[in-house]
Amino acid sequence: MKHCYKLLVFYTLFLMTTNWALSQAINGYDKAAYDIPMRDGVHLHTIVYSPKDLSQPYPILMQRTPYSAGPYGPGNMKNKLGPSQFLMNDGYIFVYQDVRGRWMSEGSYDNMRPTLSKSERNSNQIDESTDTYDTIEWLLANIKNHNEKVGLWGISYPGFYSAAALPFAHPKLKAVSPQAPIGDFYFDDFHHNGAYLLSYWLATSVFGYQKDGPTQEAWYGMVNPETNDGYQFFMDMGPLKNADKWYGEDNFFWQQLKNNPDYNDFWQKRSIIPHLKEVKPAVLTVGGWFDAEDLYGPLTIYKTIEKNNPETYNTIVMGPWSHGDWSREPGSQVISNIYFGDSISTWYQKNIERVFFNHFLKESENSNLALPEAYMFDTGKHKWEKFDDWPPKESQWKSFYFQEKGELTEVTPEGNRFTTYVSDPSNPVPYSQDIKLNFTPRKYMADDQRFAARRPDVLTFTSEVLSQDMTLAGEVMANLKVATSQTDADWVVKIIDIFPGDQPNHAYVLDGVDMGNYHLMVRSEVIRGRYRESFEFPKPFVPDQITAVDFRLQDLFHTFKKGHKIQIQIQSTWFPLIDRNPQKYVQNIFEADEADFVKATHRVFHTEQFASKIEVMVLP
């Protein structure tokens, strides 16, 4: 208790000191607002904060956002400018812009607006790249005292707008940092491998309504569920078709979700990934290993730029953060019950982000930049490591096979065996013991999974106690050989680090939790089984026929320490993180009826011919 009290006092003093320093720095800036014309005549509202000190020119550092560039009005200043206090103190011209169709900007809003191809680009066609280009062109011509260098950054959706500026970028755009960027809405946020993320349902209000004109007030209303019990709320809602009670025809995004369950042309053309070619600006991609919202985006954007643009400066940082944690400094970095260390965000802001932008926007292009290709945080050892490549070239693929009696080994199974469980949509496995009806969930990414391991509809395969450390670093593949008594099923795979029984508690453990035998979820993913062969063309299962279901989990960098165990959990419901699969194949699950939801008996095979396994990359 004394330790917690001292931490509280320290953190309070830290906040007071930080807020005073921020207010002093803000006083050194002037604010102005402009409505900048785009090539099609639409005006985008843009707020510019310029240093009062005119003794030197400054780079322009910009963020484009759908979440409001405010506060609006003369004299109403932000509490902090730029990605961090360090960059604000260093001196930049900070620019914030409402994207097309949002807040004070004109035009119509489009979620993940498609990027134009080279042949489609002309004087009238627009996308997020052209809007960024036109904004930079106007700023360079109209804002005084700049050094003709521009940077761009953003977290989450603004991270997408940062990445979307890379195709056909303005020549003066020198440095871009997509942070927790959305890469593709079919694999980030609202979907994972074809499964709809029901936990993001409340966010549909934010993205689904057009406004009548420029406004400083929110024009959309959030659904009031009248309960904090997310599990019960969504069980009471029933099939997804019943959500029309809250989201009708006027919510265009809900209609898009309902009408496009497959990875069809609608979603494909909204992906930024295929357009990351001929990238000229330097890129720093940032993400969190425990980011429940956008983990696919940063890893895929980094790898795609690296593959398509080998000469472009391209680096990645992945830390022990949930969504956007690196932009905040809580003092102690804690996800659920896992404490990773102190001042990790400040260290990143000062030693990586600040160094990156200052180098490309302030220093000579011939100067050396002392950042590695990949700065990655080992979530098991709780330490940063540098790599020349990601995944590391020295990592080697290793297979862990499922065995009878719930064993997990590196030996190919023998015989003719399988493990069976019954999945019941009327009693789905919860994704956490602490389900709140939040805007989006976060802490579950590092939650204790003991509760799931003890359910009969969750299979567990567990290794022996490790005799030495084992570091997983890189990509992960699930290769399942399964059968179902019905015609559809979801498959959830979780990689668990089981702590020793005598693991001591620490100051940040939540009430009622014991770290002894803690089941830390290191990585998890789901695939909607109908998309096992193609996300564009779904296919039902043939009842009781052995079928391969192979899919990728997102990368990880985690050391399973000596004395720990590795466990794989397999299940077919994960509620209400994802919606319930009826398990009876219907053409569109968004239109399924209550009668379509049926129990199913699933089998996971572990035989020599049909060997279910997890493939991971391991550092030697």
Side-chain angles (χ1 to χ4, degrees), residues 66-67 102-103 109 111 157 190 201-210 219-222 247 251-253 439:
Y67 300 131
R102 301 295 277 184
W103 298 91
Y109 179 66
N111 277 301
Y157 221 138
F190 288 90
W201 181 80
L202 283 177
T204 313
S205 294
V206 178
F207 305 111
Y209 298 105
Q210 300 287 0
W219 60 97
Y220 51 85
M222 300 296 292
Y247 299 134
N251 190 303
F252 69 89
F253 188 46
F439 183 74

Side-chain angles (χ1 to χ4, degrees), residues 294-315:
D294 299 300
L295 188 54
Y296 168 90
L299 290 164
T300 307
I301 285 173
Y302 162 76
K303 291 179 184 179
T304 304
I305 293 174
E306 192 69 13
K307 177 182 177 181
N308 295 341
N309 310 270
E311 302 303 317
T312 297
Y313 182 88
N314 179 44
T315 189

